[in-house]
Every structure is written in C-alpha cells, then in structure tokens.
Amino acid sequence: MNPMVPKQRLQFLAFLLIYFIVPFSACFFTLIFANYTSTAFLPEKFLILFEATRVTQDFTLFALTWAPFPIITFILFFYSLPVANYLFKKDKCNYLSEEKARHRIVHSPIIISLFGFFGWELSTILSVLRIDTLYPEAPPQSILTVTILFAFWGLFLFAFSYSATNFLNKKLIIPCVFPDGGLGKYAKGKQFSIVTKQIIFWTASTLFPIVLLIFGLLLRTNQNLFDLHQLVHNDVLFEVIAIMLFFSFIFSVTFAISLQHPLNKIEEATELIKEQKFDTRVTIFSSDELGLLGDAVNEMAEGLAERERIKDTFGRIVDPRVRDYLLSNEHSLGGKVVDATILFSDLRDFTKLSEKRTPEEVLYILNRYFQEMSNAIEIHGGFINKFIGDAILAVFGTPMPMTDHVDRAFQTALQMQKNLDLLNKQFLGEGLTELKMGIGIHTGSLLVGNIGSANRMEFTVIGDTVNTASRVEGLCKGLQKNLLITENTANLLPDVIRSRLQSEGEFELKGRESKEKIYSYPVALG
C-alpha cells in the first residue's frame, strides 16, 4: 500500500478531528469540567445525592447517562462515510455521491454540534429522571438545579464543538474540496444566520457564566433557587446581574442585526445582478467595511452595465457570435487557415440610384435592404464580415465551424432573393425604386484572424477565396444572372441541387491566371 502524500495525511487528520476527536473531546472535557465545578454551584443536598448514585452503581442510570453518546458516535460514523469516500476514494465516486459529500462537508459543523448537543441534553434529562426515580425524597430544588445547570453545559458544548469544527473545516477541508469557492449552492437556507450565531455564543460566553455565578451565590448565601425572583427585587447585586444580562443580550442581537441586515441587502442585490439586472443598487448606511462593500457592489453593477452596453454595441457592429469569439480569446495579430464558403452580394446600378436621391433617402433604403439581407444570412448560420458600401461579405464555416457551410451559403442566397422580392414590393408601394442584386459564392481555403497593428486590429477573412467570390459576383451583370457559383462550390452541393445547375462556361477572373468554371441556378431571381 502506497504511503499517503502529505496533503492526504493532513486531510485524514482533519477528517478525524472534525468528525470524531473534537466532538468526543468536547463532550469529555465538558463533563469533566461540569463534575469538577459541581461542588461550587450545586446545593450540598444534591451533592450527597450525587455521591449516593455512584455508590448504588445502578446499571439503568449508567446506561441512560452514557448510552446517547455511543449512539451519536455511531450515527456520526455513517454520516461521515460519504465524506471519507470522497476525500480518500474519489476515483470510485459518481456525481451523486460527490454532491452528497460536498453537501455534508459544508454542513458538518452544524450537524456534528447538534448531534453532540442533543446527545448531551438527552443524557441529562434521562439521568435526572432516573435519579428522581431512585431518590423520590430528593429536594425539588436539587433536581431543578442540576437540570438547568447541565442543560446549560450542553449549550457550552455546542458552542465549543461548532467553533472548533467550523474552524478546522474552513482551514483544512473546504479549501481542498472547493479550491475556487462555490459553497453557496450547498449552504443556502441551512446555515445559522449571524443573529442566531450571536445568540448561541452570547448564551455560551455570557449567560452561562453568569448563571454559574448565580448558582454559586445562591449556594454561598444558602438561598433557594425558587426564591431567585425575590432576590432580584431585593438584592441590588442580583438586580445588576439581571440588568447586565438584559442589555448585553440587546447589544449582542442589535450588533448582529446591524451586520446581517446590510449583508442580506447585498446578497439580494448580487442575486439580481446575477440575473443581469445591472440597474440594481444597494444602499448601506455605514462607514465601516460594510459600507465599503456596498459601494463596491454598486460600482461592480455600474461596471457590468457599462460592459453589457459595450458588448451590445459591439454585437451590433460585428456578428454577436464573432463578438463572443473575440471576447473569449486572446487578441493578437495573426490567424488560421480554414475551409469555408464566401457569399458576396452587391446591388446593381445603385450608384445611379444614389445620384437621384438625397443622402437621407439612400441611407433609409440601404438600412432596410441590409436588415432583410442580414436576417437571411443569420437564419442560416452565416456571419456578416463587413458591409462594403452597398455590398455584403458573408462567411459560412468560420469562426464557428459547420460541416454543411456550402449548402447553408446556397440556401442563404435563395432566401436573400426572396427577402428582396418582398422588400421591392414595399418599396414600390412607397413610391421607391426596386433594387436588383447579384450574388457570387465560392468555397475554398482562407485565412481568418486579426489583421492590422498592435493597437488597432480588425477581425476579418482574407485570401484568394474571398477575392474569387467578389469577382464571380462581378460577372452577374454581364451574364444577366442574379446568382453565380464556382465549380468548387457546385461540387459540394447536394445532388438534387447540383443536377439543376447550368454551366455558364469558363471565365478568367481579374487577378487570376487560371480560368474558373461558373454555374448559375435556373430560378427566376429578381
């Protein structure tokens, strides 16, 4: 068996401390200290009774006193099994067992401390009931005193156990299981609030010691516990104790509320911000760290709102998918070579049309035209690389890979013409001139990436494939066709479409030495 690495040894030690050593030690030392100090706080008659129970060696009393603790230990053992399997046999855990282990790790301090507390209180109640049965002549004051006193020791036990296990859990276990945080989804609604914790620790650190002092004073003055209410009215010392208890409780709770209330407001604000409600603001009337935290949350919300506005604006300038691609990758010059399909479209005789209209009318016509063409391109998964005057350069197959980019580009061309036909009907109804366009499609290798300088760059596609698509579109007017595709593209189209293509011959495109076979699709376009 291979020896455990130091990290695993530390986890193993932490596991033993949290689930077994600390709970047992808390119970053991609390019991020893309670017995050791009993002579200072319990009436003499009860001490005689207490000694008598030891002499009788009553098995029932012994069983009732100690039975809850091995039972609680047994329960804790099974409770800790998923955690042990996750920490030391993680490779054998499935998703559900891992989730159960994480949940228990987060809640272990509370569960362990509650088990110890209930075990202690149950042991106290059962023991006192058995003593009362064995010695019915015992004074009621003695029975009540020991019940109250040992019940308060249970609160001390709980506070000690919770503090110790919570500290060890946060220092040794949670950083290993949640190195990047993320405890929120496991802790919601099942953790003590700040006010509850403050009350628990006030009870253990303030109320309990003062109760011990009261019992000690009653013992030293031979006073009866049932006369305590009269002592509070008649003895200034007891009045001061009562007043101090009251105000210390008010101060503790008020302080806890002053922390919890703004933290709750910050939590609610962050939940709304997570839902992208960036207009959320939190108002904290405090000049301490909470006030600074509230201001930081507001600044964060303002920054996220500005970031979202920039992101939305960026998404209007370039395709949103390209925007997300750029935001999720490092910005550096260069790119990669990919196979893709380029669709290049251009309006015919638009220069003449522009000469007869005002710039406002030209912009109005272009914007409506671009909107319809953009809809057709985006529906089929392409992205518009750029608008060049009245021309559109659309790309299919990059930066988002797609296996059917040729067919998508072809279907986009048909959809663009349909949209243009509908738009022309609207233009004629408004007294405007109808538009005509040409589309060229070519498939091949191209370079996609960032070009420009280190401080200003553009995400684009470049290469012979782009130039060829542009040159093919330039043939549309001379051939009186609205859609032309190259042989590369035609060979990759489905058979049902390829069988309907018409060859337009070979053409020597501008800037190229070799000729390109061009095909048209026999559909009445425009």
Side-chain angles (χ1 to χ4, degrees):
M1 182 177 179
N2 294 329
M4 292 185 296
V5 297
K7 182 179 179 181
Q8 290 177 319
R9 290 178 180 175
L10 184 62
Q11 287 183 352
F12 182 70
L13 177 61
F15 175 79
L16 291 180
L17 284 170
I18 292 172
Y19 290 92
F20 299 103
I21 297 177
V22 169
F24 175 80
S25 300
C27 291
F28 182 72
F29 288 117
T30 301
L31 182 61
I32 290 177
F33 194 62
N35 288 332
Y36 174 74
T37 58
S38 60
T39 56
F41 305 113
L42 295 178
E44 184 178 352
K45 294 180 179 179
F46 178 80
L47 292 177
I48 297 174
L49 180 64
F50 192 67
E51 291 297 328
T53 58
R54 296 179 181 176
V55 175
T56 58
Q57 296 183 347
D58 183 70
F59 177 78
T60 303
L61 177 60
F62 177 83
L64 293 175
T65 302
W66 293 102
F69 297 105
I71 293 175
I72 296 300
T73 303
F74 188 72
I75 294 174
L76 282 177
F77 172 76
F78 280 97
Y79 179 81
S80 67
L81 282 180
V83 178
N85 289 332
Y86 177 76
L87 292 176
F88 311 118
K89 298 180 181 179
K90 190 172 182 180
D91 55 330
K92 298 181 180 180
C93 292
N94 56 33
Y95 175 77
L96 292 178
S97 59
E98 287 184 3
E99 287 295 292
K100 179 187 290 186
R102 292 190 186 101
H103 187 274
R104 291 193 177 182
I105 287 170
V106 172
H107 297 285
S108 289
I110 288 181
I111 299 300
I112 293 171
S113 304
L114 285 175
F115 276 143
F117 173 75
F118 288 134
W120 179 277
E121 299 300 333
L122 182 61
S123 175
T124 298
I125 294 172
L126 294 177
S127 300
V128 171
L129 290 176
R130 181 58 181 170
I131 292 173
D132 190 43
T133 302
L134 290 174
Y135 302 96
E137 72 280 2
Q141 178 190 6
S142 298
I143 300 297
L144 181 60
T145 300
V146 74
T147 302
I148 294 175
L149 194 59
F150 274 80
F152 267 100
W153 276 114
L155 290 174
F156 177 82
L157 164 68
F158 174 84
F160 174 78
S161 179
Y162 178 77
S163 300
T165 54
N166 191 47
F167 176 80
L168 292 171
N169 203 37
K170 288 182 177 180
K171 288 294 183 180
L172 302 178
I173 299 293
I174 287 180
C176 298
V177 179
F178 301 93
D180 301 319
L183 282 76
K185 72 173 185 176
Y186 301 97
K188 273 190 176 180
K190 296 183 180 179
Q191 294 289 318
F192 287 134
S193 67
I194 293 177
V195 174
T196 304
K197 289 180 182 179
Q198 186 70 11
I199 292 175
I200 291 173
F201 291 119
W202 173 84
T203 302
S205 62
T206 302
L207 178 61
F208 179 53
I210 290 181
V211 169
L212 289 180
L213 290 175
I214 291 175
F215 282 139
L217 290 173
L218 290 175
L219 179 62
R220 284 164 173 73
T221 56
N222 295 318
Q223 299 291 333
N224 193 310
L225 180 63
F226 296 115
D227 298 330
L228 184 60
H229 66 287
Q230 296 180 358
L231 291 173
V232 172
H233 288 292
N234 300 327
D235 193 322
V236 175
L237 179 60
F238 284 95
E239 288 182 352
V240 171
I241 291 174
I243 293 172
M244 289 177 62
L245 278 177
F246 173 77
F247 280 105
S248 66
F249 178 79
I250 295 298
F251 292 153
S252 297
V253 173
T254 302
F255 175 72
I257 292 175
S258 70
L259 294 177
Q260 182 170 305
H261 180 65
L263 287 175
N264 286 342
K265 292 174 66 176
I266 292 173
E267 180 184 9
E268 292 172 1
T270 53
E271 288 295 327
L272 292 173
I273 293 172
K274 279 172 56 179
E275 298 173 3
Q276 298 190 351
K277 298 179 180 178
F278 299 128
D279 58 340
T280 301
R281 296 294 182 271
V282 58
T283 304
I284 305 296
F285 300 106
S286 177
S287 59
D288 55 15
E289 292 85 348
L290 288 174
L292 296 177
L293 180 60
D295 292 341
V297 170
N298 291 336
E299 291 174 5
M300 177 187 69
E302 292 174 3
L304 289 172
E306 179 66 14
R307 177 179 179 272
E308 192 66 19
R309 187 186 69 80
I310 295 173
K311 184 178 177 181
D312 181 65
T313 303
F314 189 23
R316 295 174 186 272
I317 298 173
V318 300
D319 187 285
R321 292 163 297 173
V322 177
R323 173 201 63 194
D324 296 337
Y325 173 82
L326 292 174
L327 292 176
S328 61
N329 290 274
E330 293 185 2
H331 307 310
S332 58
L333 294 175
K336 59 182 179 180
V337 176
V338 298
D339 289 330
T341 299
I342 298 295
L343 183 152
F344 195 92
S345 71
D346 194 10
L347 287 177
R348 293 184 191 171
D349 301 323
F350 190 74
T351 302
K352 295 181 180 179
L353 184 147
S354 301
E355 292 176 353
K356 302 175 182 179
R357 299 188 179 277
T358 64
E360 290 80 9
E361 289 178 318
V362 173
L363 184 62
Y364 172 76
I365 293 172
L366 272 180
N367 284 340
R368 290 185 61 180
Y369 165 74
F370 284 144
Q371 182 63 60
E372 294 299 326
M373 299 305 104
S374 298
N375 292 341
I377 294 169
E378 292 171 2
I379 286 175
H380 291 89
F383 87 90
I384 298 174
N385 180 251
K386 62 183 67 177
F387 296 106
I388 310 171
D390 56 357
I392 300 174
L393 173 59
V395 186
F396 296 81
T398 187
M400 289 65 64
M402 55 181 67
T403 58
D404 57 343
H405 53 84
V406 176
D407 185 58
R408 286 174 180 260
F410 183 81
Q411 297 299 330
T412 298
L414 300 184
Q415 185 66 51
M416 289 172 67
Q417 188 59 52
K418 291 179 182 179
N419 290 1
L420 182 60
D421 291 341
L422 294 175
L423 182 62
N424 281 332
K425 291 179 181 180
Q426 297 175 16
F427 280 164
L428 292 175
E430 298 173 16
L432 299 174
T433 304
E434 64 178 353
L435 303 177
K436 296 181 180 181
M437 70 174 174
I439 299 176
I441 302 177
H442 179 56
T443 302
S445 297
L446 51 84
L447 181 69
V448 56
N450 297 315
I451 64 171
S453 62
N455 57 355
R456 184 170 181 81
M457 60 187 68
E458 177 186 6
F459 181 82
T460 189
V461 290
I462 57 177
D464 182 65
T465 300
V466 180
N467 297 332
T468 299
S470 174
R471 301 289 187 264
V472 171
E473 186 281 325
L475 297 175
C476 289
K477 184 175 181 180
L479 296 175
Q480 294 297 304
K481 301 291 182 181
N482 285 24
L483 172 59
L484 296 176
I485 63 177
T486 63
E487 185 177 27
N488 284 6
T489 301
N491 290 336
L492 297 174
L493 285 170
D495 293 340
V496 65
I497 296 176
R498 192 165 61 246
S499 63
R500 300 183 62 187
L501 295 178
Q502 293 181 347
S503 175
E504 298 295 333
E506 293 185 351
F507 294 85
E508 184 175 330
L509 303 178
K510 184 178 180 181
R512 299 190 66 184
E513 296 180 358
S514 60
K515 293 185 177 181
E516 190 74 41
K517 289 184 179 181
I518 304 298
Y519 297 85
S520 62
Y521 191 69
V523 175
L525 301 175

